[in-house]
Structures are given as C-alpha cells and as structure tokens.
Amino acid sequence: MNRRLLLAAALAFGACAQAPAMAQAPASSPGATEIVEKKVFETTGYVTRGGATIPTIRIGYQTAGTLNAAGDNAVIVTHFFSGNSHAFGRYAEGQPAGYWDAIIGPGKAIDTNRYFVISSDTLVNLNVRDGRTVTTGPVSMNPATGRPWALDFPVIAMRDFIEVQKRLLDSLGVRRLALVTGASMGALQAIEWAAAYPEMIDRVMPVIGSSEFDPWAIAWLDIWESPIRLDPNFNNGDYYAQGREPPTRGLAEALKIVTVQAQDRPAMARFGRRAAEGQDPLRRIGDRFEVERFLDEAALARARVSDANHFLYLTRANQLFLHEYENSEAALRRSQARWFVVASPTDRVFMLDYNTEMVALLRRLGRPVDFAEVTGPLGHLNGVVGMAPIADRIRAFLAN
C-alpha cells in the first residue's frame, strides 16, 4: 500500500490529518481540482439544545460553485470525526486536495458547475490547533472569565452542529438542499439534517454511517476517551494555564484506539510481525513491533495539533445523535427525501449491519432508497478515501 495513504489512514479517520499533506486525493481523480478559500462564519447568541448560551461562535467553511437565484441548488458536505471543511479543492496550487475531491468539483459526480457546495468545520472540532480549522469549543476564550472554557463549555449535541450549519446556510442565501452528505460522523450529521429539516432536503447520502447509535456504539466511545481521562495531565480538563502540560499522551493513545478500529487487517499487513528497528520484543518487554512504533508516531503527531477536551466533546456529540427523537424510526419517518446509503463491507466502526438495517427501515417507511458498497483495504476509511469507484452511482442519484 502507498505509504502516504497508509499514514493518512493511520491518523484516526485520516484524510484530514495535522497537515494538509495528509489529505491527498487519489492522483487519478477525474476532472479539475478547484482552488477554494477558507472563510469564517460568525454568529452570536447561540442557545444549545441543552439550554446554554454561547455568546459567539466562529466556524470555518469553504464553498465551490454558484448558488442559483432560487437558492435551491446547494449541497452540504458534513465531515467525519477527525475531519474539517477540507472535503474538496485545494487552498493553493501545489497543495493537496480535499478528501472527497475525487467526487466533488467541475464535471465530477457532485458537479460544482451545477451545484453550490458547502463544507464547514464543526463546533468542538478536533483539529483546533492545525492552522486550517476554525472552531469554537473548550479551547476558546470564555468572555465571562477571560480564560479558555475548558469543561465549562456547554455540552454539544449532534443537533447543535446542524443548527450552526443552518445559520451558515441562511447567511449564504440557501433555501433548499439538493443533497446533504457526509462520511462517518458526517453521515450522522446528514441523517440529523434529514430529521431536523425534512421540508428543506431533496436527497440524503450517508456514507459509512448508521441511523442507530446504540449502547454498543456508546460504550465504544467511552473506551476511546478513557486514556485521556487517565492521563495525569488531564486535570479534569483544566490544563490550559501557562506552565501546565496538556494530556498529549492520553490523547495519542485515544487516537490509536480509534485508528485501529477504523481500519481493516489489510491496511496494516505491510508491517508484518517484524520488530521496530533496533528492538527485540522477545528479549525486552518494553521493545516494540514495527506496527506499534508506527501507530505511536502517527498518533502522537496528530495529538500535538488536536485537543483532548475537544475529543471528549466530539464523542459526546456522537452519543447524543438523534437524541431528540423517541427512536431512529421516529426520526427517519420525518424525512421526505430520496436516500442513497453507502457502506463499507469491512467497516469495524459502523458495521455493515448498521447500514443494511437503515436501508430496511427506510424501505419499511416507504422512502426511496438505493444502496452501494465501497471496497478496499481500509475498512471504515474506504468511505473517506475510496469513493471514486461509485462516482457514476452518485451522479445517477443526483439526476433523479
């Protein structure tokens, strides 16, 4: 496997790692790659679904294409757990393209000659220190104290992501969405959009997602975040003061758990069982295998441009997916859209069963739904870096 692709994948849902270089789109992507600008949206007086007020919110976003006079040719692309708005285009010539650039752009499946495409950073975005992400969360300054919010920041639900995105779309003049789509956590956001604003959405394409966040999934996220809470530097989230060290090691260990679960066995087969250079696990218990060394280095690099509190807030937002509805059926019953569900058969995060159950539920509710699989060696991550082979299916879905 290409080392760049593996490194990107290793960084916890890896198409948007700490540097834009980790977001390289496949070299064979058809069509032109647009130059896009990272912009900032600001809104004030936002009241969370939990009833708390955030005085000022800032999120980054990017667009491509032109909004028509009716405001109804818009597409919103919602990002995965460790992603940001860089789903398509390049920020400058010679820089890497966004993770879904193979399917978004002029003449591509999601054609920016036809559609106005928007992608934004979420609240509490993990990539808060990467220099390309604009987000509001625990790292942000609390105007009431003059210090970072830390764990005093209000709890954010998945629906809060959607409400802030809705404010962004309103500011841009968007009245209707031809498509809402995203991968992994982005798929959850797409589904949340379909339930929250059914009258506004024509099509929904959740990729490597689920309409059900059940106790098994909630428990896994608790496991993801456990190393952060056990890091002595975590200090109950209060580690921003000068002289204090952040829980970098705990965050790195959390990212390693996510990374391994988000991949399939072939993704790491290149390491074999060999030891790291100069080490011998047979003779010394502290010596490492090469795959362990690789994961240590990749996760630590990622942790240094991320934030542990933001990781915890992201896991909680996922756990609060569709929390305002009695169950998934009640949420999906609200949708009036056409659906195209895309799954990876070797997914170990949102396993194939989650997706086939979603398709069955949509059909039981009488919703038009199609289904496709994305394959490859990366398991869950096939839905991030392996979308090009289903470009024609996406194009056909948008044509109906």
Side-chain angles (χ1 to χ4, degrees):
M1 180 185 298
N2 180 285
R3 179 174 175 80
R4 179 182 293 275
L5 181 58
L6 181 59
L7 180 58
L11 290 165
F13 295 18
C16 279
Q18 78 274 16
M22 301 307 172
Q24 188 80 32
S28 59
S29 299
T33 294
E34 297 178 275
I35 301 298
V36 294
E37 177 187 356
K38 189 71 179 258
K39 304 173 185 177
V40 177
F41 170 69
E42 184 171 307
T43 187
T44 58
Y46 179 73
V47 179
T48 70
R49 306 307 283 188
T53 298
I54 304 175
T56 303
I57 284 174
R58 299 174 77 246
I59 59 167
Y61 72 100
Q62 62 182 64
T63 67
T66 302
L67 185 67
N68 64 18
D72 64 0
N73 69 327
V75 172
I76 186 165
V77 180
T78 49
H79 67 70
F80 48 93
F81 186 88
S82 66
N84 63 10
S85 69
H86 196 201
F88 53 88
R90 304 180 193 274
Y91 291 130
E93 290 291 344
Q95 291 194 5
Y99 61 90
W100 267 8
D101 195 76
I103 59 168
I104 302 173
K108 299 178 186 179
I110 302 174
D111 189 351
T112 53
N113 291 328
R114 179 181 179 187
Y115 296 106
F116 178 59
V117 185
I118 310 105
S119 181
S120 70
D121 302 330
T122 61
L123 290 168
V124 300
N125 193 286
L126 183 64
N127 306 285
V128 65
R129 303 183 191 282
D130 74 353
R132 286 290 195 191
T133 301
V134 181
T135 187
T136 298
V139 165
S140 305
M141 200 64 65
N142 180 350
T145 65
R147 299 189 301 273
W149 284 88
L151 297 191
D152 288 333
F153 195 74
V155 170
I156 299 298
M158 188 71 64
R159 178 65 179 267
D160 288 305
F161 292 170
I162 275 63
E163 293 304 320
V164 173
Q165 291 164 8
K166 177 66 164 56
R167 288 192 180 195
L168 168 62
L169 296 188
D170 289 346
S171 75
L172 295 172
V174 173
R175 297 186 180 90
R176 191 168 188 85
L177 289 166
L179 172 69
V180 56
T181 183
S184 191
M185 187 183 81
L188 304 188
Q189 292 175 74
I191 295 165
E192 190 89 51
W193 259 105
Y197 293 98
E199 72 290 343
M200 185 180 173
I201 298 167
D202 293 331
R203 301 172 190 83
V204 186
M205 187 175 73
V207 177
I208 54 171
S210 172
S211 60
E212 180 72 33
F213 214 92
D214 57 13
W216 188 86
I218 291 172
W220 260 113
L221 266 62
D222 179 64
I223 292 170
W224 285 9
E225 65 184 37
S226 292
I228 294 171
R229 298 189 184 278
L230 293 172
D231 189 319
N233 290 335
F234 177 58
N235 194 36
N236 199 32
D238 184 13
Y239 52 80
Y240 298 119
Q242 187 173 1
R244 289 185 177 168
E245 291 293 324
T248 305
R249 173 50 62 186
L251 178 55
E253 293 299 314
L255 289 167
K256 281 170 60 178
I257 296 171
V258 181
T259 297
V260 174
Q261 190 184 4
Q263 298 187 53
D264 194 21
R265 293 167 61 196
M268 296 185 184
R270 66 188 295 272
F271 296 108
R273 290 175 53 84
R274 68 181 180 275
E277 185 176 355
Q279 301 196 34
D280 187 351
L282 176 64
R283 296 180 180 276
R284 291 177 295 274
I285 194 67
D287 282 6
R288 312 286 280 168
F289 289 92
E290 177 63 13
V291 66
E292 295 175 307
R293 181 205 61 77
F294 177 80
L295 288 171
D296 281 344
E297 290 184 3
L300 187 59
R302 181 59 188 273
R304 286 175 176 146
V305 294
S306 304
D307 181 77
N309 283 335
H310 279 234
F311 186 103
L312 300 182
Y313 274 78
L314 274 177
T315 59
R316 178 56 56 85
N318 280 264
Q319 290 170 326
L320 290 171
F321 169 58
L322 295 181
H323 77 290
E324 298 185 6
Y325 308 96
E326 181 180 358
N327 50 41
S328 297
E329 182 172 346
L332 294 188
R333 185 180 292 115
R334 293 173 53 82
S335 171
Q336 303 169 19
R338 300 178 62 86
W339 289 71
F340 182 24
V341 176
V342 180
S344 169
T346 54
D347 195 337
R348 300 178 189 273
V349 179
F350 293 124
M351 296 174 294
L352 187 61
D353 287 355
Y354 278 117
N355 291 271
T356 56
E357 289 168 7
M358 176 167 36
V359 170
L361 174 57
L362 287 163
R363 287 175 177 162
R364 190 163 66 249
L365 293 170
R367 303 298 181 266
V369 57
D370 199 2
F371 177 75
E373 293 182 355
V374 283
T375 58
L378 294 179
H380 185 68
L381 293 174
N382 291 330
V384 177
V385 299
M387 294 291 285
I390 66 164
D392 287 343
R393 294 284 300 276
I394 297 169
R395 189 177 284 108
F397 175 61
L398 286 169
N400 292 329

